[in-house]
């Protein structure tokens, strides 16, 4: 007992320190844990909290999230969960992380590595919300993100909330590389269809994972972080994330040297050296240096009887760890042919698990060059880059959190018990009850397509009255429900121009838009200028695909549309097919002519809040932009956006509505039989 006395005294002292206090922050960013306690503390007040963390779970002032929660008298930390390498990060890879009662905190610490990777119902029974605070290293095979995904699935099954406290991707968010996991090759080192280097933060990955899980998820974003920022630019100290990742050099070398699982190719010195027994170091270095891989030089170095190269990384922004790893494998195979482990119907080899596919091994056996191997997965990589786009939080400007990023699932209504017929009367056939707005479980007896609660009736404006059409582009997203809440409070209707690729996972939001009497318009499927403005056929194929997505989700086919960039955009000139179009006969001219033939009604705008220019803007700026543009027009179409990065727009909306009401405007939705608003831009 005496040996625990100092720890008990320390624990008592820590509980006496006031919560949410912090000293001056000298780092370039604030972590999700900082932002939680500084801005969004109310989200955890009064809750029983479980925390997945380890030694990396420190805030920017080097205070652990465990201690922050234990000091906080408004929450109850009831359980800890440790990923691979344990709560202290010292358990060697592959060894079981045991569960125990913490000797100081007197709460359970559950191990989530080894035989129990997914939290059991027993592990989650005493919590309301599961927090995740782990420092990832940017590689798909690093299992902290796998633990996150498993925990999200378990939380969904047990009806628990998940909150991810975001942290940097130490490699930055611009390099996305490597083969993408194929479904048959999913494993604990490849839990989803992502490449080796995913270029996402752990918070962004949580949003990505949740597209197929559907747990009540909140991501607390970082402040000041940018997409191209590597860890060295954050001002944060690096905490060794596992026994073989003691420093940032090993983080950057992890994929470059560690892809040879199950082959003679091995890494050394914490992922700074790669080689194999009998390999000619100088020939190996010559091949790698001759490939002109960016940001790195390869120094020949023997380790005993093994030949290999040491990586000398000289440009961390240009260095591509995953591509370097592919080249290291391919050139080693050329110099020293070796067999590659094969997957069978009974067991997937570790090499194929690392690659997420058996194709890379087959190409290596065929003696393909590294360039050919990289080319083999480029199409899948491009699809992933497009898919991940809507889950990204950060851009090129320092991010300023205005609100937490939430993916809340609609509460499912309890099924009504059918009334028992009176014995004296014949039983009537039961009429199916339509699904409630927001119900998106896919299993309801929905036999009727949802319709607006009150269908908007087009009104011809009197000569003296003023009409405002509020329009929101690029949704639906996590911002859209906030906009809908405001519109409902102020009893205002609006028009939402929907991007088709955003529909999946947001069907409940679209149904709510329709049910609350707003109008839906089309805004293409992809919103990819390069695709839609290549030629007239590509444009209408894309627009129609988006319309089909909207109609499938809501039962309502859009009657009005908005061109990506507007009808007078010049960006289309950049992407139009030069064999078919020129400056005199443009793709936009062809599209407009065809639109007229097909009876499409396209809507522009004459007032904008300016939120399309950047993701770094304030609510005050959007209001000022509108005030500057609204003069004495009888009819205004206001362009705003409701994509995931447009929180300030939602924040400013109440004041925008109040201002327009003061100016004498009433609000209407846009309909196809009011085409006069289509030419107001």
């Amino acid at each position: 007992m005496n040996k625990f006395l100092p720890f008990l005294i320390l624990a008592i002292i820590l509980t006496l320190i006031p919560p949410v206090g912090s000293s001056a922050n000298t780092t370039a960013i604030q972590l999700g844990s900082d932002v939680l306690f500084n801005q969004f503390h109310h989200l955890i007040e009064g809750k029983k909290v479980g925390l997945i963390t380890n030694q990396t779970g420190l805030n920017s002032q080097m205070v652990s999230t465990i201690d922050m929660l234990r000091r906080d008298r408004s929450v109850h930390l009831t359980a800890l969960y440790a990923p691979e390498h344990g709560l202290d990060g010292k358990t060697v890879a592959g060894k079981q992380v045991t569960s125990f009662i913490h000797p100081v905190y007197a709460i359970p610490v559950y191990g989530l590595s080894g035989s129990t990777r997914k939290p059991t119902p027993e592990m989650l029974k005493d919590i309301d919300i599961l927090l995740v605070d782990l420092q990832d290293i940017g590689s798909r095979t690093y299992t902290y993100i796998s633990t996150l995904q498993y925990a999200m699935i378990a939380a969904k099954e047990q009806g628990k909330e998940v909150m991810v406290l975001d942290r940097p991707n130490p490699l930055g968010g611009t390099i996305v590389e490597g083969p993408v996991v194929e479904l048959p090759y999913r494993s604990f080192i490849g839990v989803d269809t992502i490449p080796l280097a995913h270029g996402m933060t752990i918070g962004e990955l949580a949003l990505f994972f949740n597209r197929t899980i559907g747990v009540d998820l909140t991501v607390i974003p970082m402040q000041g972080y940018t997409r191209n920022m590597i860890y060295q630019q954050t001002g944060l100290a690096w905490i060794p994330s596992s026994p073989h990742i003691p420093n940032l050099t090993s983080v950057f070398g992890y994929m470059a040297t560690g892809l040879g699982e199950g082959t003679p190719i091995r890494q050394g010195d914490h992922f700074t050296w790669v080689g194999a027994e009998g390999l000619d170091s100088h020939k190996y270095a010559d091949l790698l240096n001759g490939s002109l891989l960016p940001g790195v030089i390869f120094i020949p170095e023997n380790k005993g009887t093994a030949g290999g190269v040491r990586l000398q990384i000289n440009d961390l922004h240009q260095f591509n760890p995953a591509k370097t790893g592919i080249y290291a494998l391919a050139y080693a195979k050329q110099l020293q042919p070796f067999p590659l482990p094969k997957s069978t119907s009974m067991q997937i080899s570790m090499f194929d698990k690392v690659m997420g596919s058996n194709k890379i091994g087959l190409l290596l056996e065929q003696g393909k060059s590294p360039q050919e191997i990289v080319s083999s997965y480029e199409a899948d990589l491009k699809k992933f880059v497009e898919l991940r786009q809507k889950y990204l939080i950060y851009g090129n400007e320092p991010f300023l959190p205005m609100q937490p990023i939430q993916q809340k699932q609609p509460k499912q209504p309890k099924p009504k018990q059918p009334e028992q017929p009176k014995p004296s009367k014949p039983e009537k056939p039961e009429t199916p009850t339509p699904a409630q707005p927001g119900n998106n479980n896919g299993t309801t007896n929905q036999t009727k397509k949802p319709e607006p609660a009150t269908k908007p009736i087009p009104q011809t404006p009197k000569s003296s009255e003023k009409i405002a059409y509020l329009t929101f582009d690029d949704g639906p997203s996590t911002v859209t429900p906030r906009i809908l809440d405001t519109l409902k409070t102020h009893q205002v209707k609006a028009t939402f121009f929907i991007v088709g690729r955003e529909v999946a996972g947001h069907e409940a939001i679209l149904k709510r838009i329709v049910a609350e009497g707003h109008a839906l318009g089309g805004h293409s499927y992809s919103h990819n200028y390069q695709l839609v403005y290549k030629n007239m056929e590509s444009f209408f194929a894309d627009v129609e695909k988006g319309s089909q997505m909207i109609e499938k989700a809501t039962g309502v086919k859009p009657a009005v549309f908005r061109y990506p960039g507007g009808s007078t955009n010049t960006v289309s000139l950049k992407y139009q097919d030069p064999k078919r179009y020129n400056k005199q006969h443009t793709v936009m001219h062809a599209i407009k002519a065809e639109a007229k033939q097909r009876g499409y009604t396209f809507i522009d705008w004459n007032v904008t809040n300016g939120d399309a220019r950047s993701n770094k803007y304030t609510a005050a700026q959007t209001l000022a932009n509108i005030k500057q543009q609204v003069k004495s027009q009888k009819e205004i179409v206001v362009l705003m956006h409701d994509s995931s990065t447009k929180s300030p727009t939602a924040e400013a909306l109440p004041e925008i509505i109040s201002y327009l009401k003061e100016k004498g405007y009433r609000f209407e939705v846009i309909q196809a039989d009011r085409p006069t608003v289509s030419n107001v831009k």
Side-chain angles (χ1 to χ4, degrees):
M1 180 66 185
N2 289 340
K3 65 181 180 179
F4 293 124
L5 188 58
F7 294 103
L8 293 172
I9 293 171
L10 176 61
I12 292 170
I13 292 171
L14 289 174
T15 60
L16 296 176
I17 300 173
V20 200
S22 65
S23 57
N25 195 329
T26 59
T27 60
I29 69 167
Q30 287 200 355
L31 296 164
S33 56
D34 297 306
V35 175
L36 171 65
F37 283 93
N38 291 337
Q39 290 183 240
F40 306 125
H41 182 261
H42 63 279
L43 296 174
I44 58 172
E45 287 176 4
K47 293 188 177 180
K48 294 182 290 185
V49 175
L51 174 65
I52 302 178
T53 194
N54 59 10
Q55 78 289 347
T56 67
L58 305 180
N59 67 12
S60 61
Q61 300 301 302
M62 301 295 284
V63 180
S64 78
T65 304
I66 298 174
D67 288 339
M68 293 295 290
L69 291 169
R70 283 185 53 78
R71 297 173 188 178
D72 191 339
R73 297 187 183 92
S74 71
V75 300
H76 185 197
L77 181 62
T78 60
L80 294 170
Y81 307 82
E84 186 178 13
H85 308 298
L87 196 62
D88 60 2
K90 295 180 179 178
T91 304
V92 296
K95 188 176 180 181
Q96 176 84 25
V97 176
T98 58
S99 299
F100 60 95
I101 300 298
H102 199 284
V104 175
Y105 308 143
I107 59 175
V109 180
Y110 297 111
L112 297 180
S113 181
S115 59
T116 305
R117 292 170 172 171
K118 176 182 170 186
T120 64
E122 179 69 18
M123 292 177 180
L124 298 177
K125 68 181 179 64
D126 293 326
I127 71 167
D128 300 317
I129 186 169
L130 187 61
L131 265 64
V132 181
D133 192 14
L134 291 167
Q135 179 58 62
D136 179 42
I137 69 166
S139 170
R140 184 245 299 154
T141 63
Y142 208 65
T143 60
Y144 293 172
I145 62 173
S146 306
T147 295
L148 165 68
Q149 197 247 24
Y150 277 44
M152 289 172 64
I153 293 172
K156 170 66 175 178
E157 292 170 352
Q158 301 305 314
K160 308 294 183 179
E161 298 177 54
V162 174
M163 178 181 288
V164 178
L165 309 183
D166 210 4
R167 290 181 167 273
N169 182 326
L171 307 177
T174 59
I175 290 179
V176 182
E177 185 63 62
V180 177
V181 175
E182 298 170 3
L183 289 178
Y185 295 90
R186 284 193 178 185
S187 71
F188 195 53
I189 57 173
V191 293
D192 206 334
T193 51
I194 59 178
L196 280 167
H198 46 72
M200 302 171 79
T201 67
I202 195 168
E204 292 172 331
L205 281 167
L207 296 171
F208 182 86
F209 292 156
N210 207 37
R211 77 197 189 285
T212 58
I213 298 172
V215 72
D216 279 355
L217 173 67
T218 299
V219 174
I220 305 297
M222 294 174 281
Q223 179 175 316
Y225 186 71
T226 65
R227 177 118 243 111
N228 59 0
M229 187 178 280
I230 59 174
Y231 201 90
Q232 288 85 338
Q233 295 174 302
T234 65
L236 300 167
W238 177 257
I239 308 301
S241 57
S242 57
H244 288 291
I245 307 288
N247 51 47
L248 288 167
T249 302
S250 58
V251 171
F252 279 80
Y254 179 77
M255 286 181 282
T257 65
L259 300 184
E261 287 280 355
T263 77
I265 307 304
R266 59 183 175 87
Q267 66 85 20
D269 298 337
H270 304 305
F271 301 102
T272 60
W273 179 92
V274 60
E277 290 293 323
L279 198 64
D280 188 312
S281 297
H282 290 277
K283 289 182 179 179
Y284 194 31
D286 287 344
L287 284 171
L288 286 165
N289 286 323
S291 66
L292 301 179
L293 287 165
V296 62
I297 296 173
F298 302 91
I299 311 300
E301 181 181 316
N302 292 334
K303 294 179 74 67
T305 56
V309 294
R310 183 166 298 279
L311 275 63
Q312 183 176 305
I313 303 170
N314 51 35
D315 189 334
L316 294 171
H317 283 283
Q318 294 297 317
F319 178 61
N320 189 322
K323 182 180 286 188
T324 300
I326 296 293
Y327 274 65
L329 282 173
Y331 283 138
K333 185 76 167 65
Q334 286 183 19
L335 289 175
Q336 190 188 72
F338 52 82
L340 283 136
K342 299 286 195 305
S343 296
T344 67
S345 58
M346 301 297 292
Q347 186 175 12
I348 300 174
S349 72
M350 182 56 71
F351 182 84
D352 288 347
K353 286 180 180 180
V354 169
M355 294 299 161
S357 167
N358 69 339
K359 293 175 183 174
I360 306 303
L362 293 174
L363 291 171
L364 286 169
E365 282 201 329
Q366 294 167 16
K368 298 295 184 182
S369 69
Q371 294 85 354
E372 290 173 308
I373 295 172
V374 169
S375 178
S376 73
Y377 57 71
E378 282 182 346
D380 289 336
L381 200 60
K382 183 179 179 181
K383 290 178 184 177
F384 168 76
V385 169
E386 293 173 353
L387 177 62
R388 79 165 192 158
Q389 185 63 37
K390 61 183 175 182
Y391 304 103
L392 301 182
I393 300 170
Y394 310 97
N396 295 327
E397 298 294 331
F399 189 82
L400 182 63
M402 302 297 293
Q403 63 177 8
I405 298 168
Q406 295 181 311
Q407 292 180 338
K408 295 291 185 183
Q409 300 303 309
K411 299 296 182 184
Q412 302 297 328
K414 292 182 179 179
K416 293 181 179 180
Q417 295 296 326
E419 293 183 7
Q420 296 296 325
K422 294 180 181 180
S424 58
K425 293 183 179 180
E427 189 173 324
K428 293 182 178 181
E430 187 179 337
T431 302
T433 303
Q436 296 298 314
N439 189 341
N440 190 31
N441 64 2
T443 60
T444 60
N445 295 325
Q446 185 173 340
T447 58
K448 291 170 64 180
K449 293 180 179 178
E451 294 185 358
T454 56
K455 282 192 174 183
I457 300 173
Q459 299 182 28
T460 303
K462 298 174 184 177
S463 58
S464 60
E465 70 178 347
K466 298 157 74 173
I467 299 179
Y469 300 91
L470 301 183
T471 69
F472 298 90
D473 287 12
D474 296 357
S477 74
T478 52
V479 172
T480 312
R482 288 183 60 196
I483 290 172
L484 290 171
D485 289 344
T486 298
L487 295 172
K488 188 173 184 178
T489 298
H490 291 267
Q491 297 183 338
V492 168
K493 305 303 180 186
T495 304
F496 293 80
F497 289 98
I498 303 301
V499 172
R501 69 181 183 191
E502 302 296 332
V503 170
H506 293 130
E507 291 88 349
I509 297 175
L510 287 179
K511 290 175 183 177
R512 179 183 171 187
I513 290 172
V514 173
E516 293 183 359
H518 306 290
L520 289 175
H523 195 37
S524 81
Y525 170 80
S526 67
H527 206 270
N528 182 334
Y529 289 9
Q530 185 173 1
L531 174 65
V532 299
Y533 290 131
K534 181 180 180 182
N535 54 54
M536 180 265 290
E537 293 80 8
S538 293
F539 177 85
F540 284 102
D542 196 82
V543 166
E544 187 57 33
K545 183 177 180 181
S547 296
Q548 290 170 2
M549 294 289 291
I550 297 168
E551 185 175 15
K552 183 179 179 182
T554 66
V556 177
K557 187 171 184 178
V560 293
F561 300 84
R562 175 165 283 161
Y563 292 108
S567 68
T568 59
N569 77 78
T570 56
V571 71
S572 56
L573 295 172
K574 178 180 178 182
Y575 297 115
Q576 66 185 14
D577 185 349
K579 295 179 181 178
R580 294 179 58 180
Y581 308 104
N582 52 46
K583 289 184 179 181
Q584 287 71 42
H585 178 64
T586 67
V587 70
M588 281 305 302
H589 177 82
I591 289 170
K592 288 178 185 178
E594 181 66 18
K596 188 174 182 179
Q597 290 293 322
R598 298 189 184 199
Y600 282 82
T601 300
F602 281 92
I603 308 298
D604 280 321
W605 60 91
N606 58 352
V607 174
T608 174
N609 71 347
D611 63 0
R613 300 170 193 160
S614 169
N615 290 335
K616 186 183 179 183
Y617 68 102
T618 66
Q621 288 170 336
T622 67
L623 179 61
N625 285 332
I626 287 176
K627 286 183 176 180
Q628 185 181 28
Q629 296 170 61
V630 174
K631 307 298 182 184
S632 57
Q633 304 100 310
K634 293 293 185 182
E635 192 172 59
I636 60 172
V637 180
V638 184
L639 171 65
M640 296 178 279
H641 293 78
D642 65 329
S643 58
S644 60
T645 57
K646 306 302 179 184
S647 295
T649 295
E651 183 183 347
L653 187 57
E655 291 188 72
I656 291 171
I657 292 172
S658 297
Y659 171 74
L660 293 176
K661 284 183 176 179
E662 290 172 7
K663 296 284 286 184
Y665 287 95
R666 69 174 175 85
F667 298 89
E668 288 286 345
V669 300
I670 293 175
Q671 300 196 45
D673 51 6
R674 286 291 319 283
T676 54
V677 297
S678 65
N679 301 312
V680 295
K681 184 182 174 186

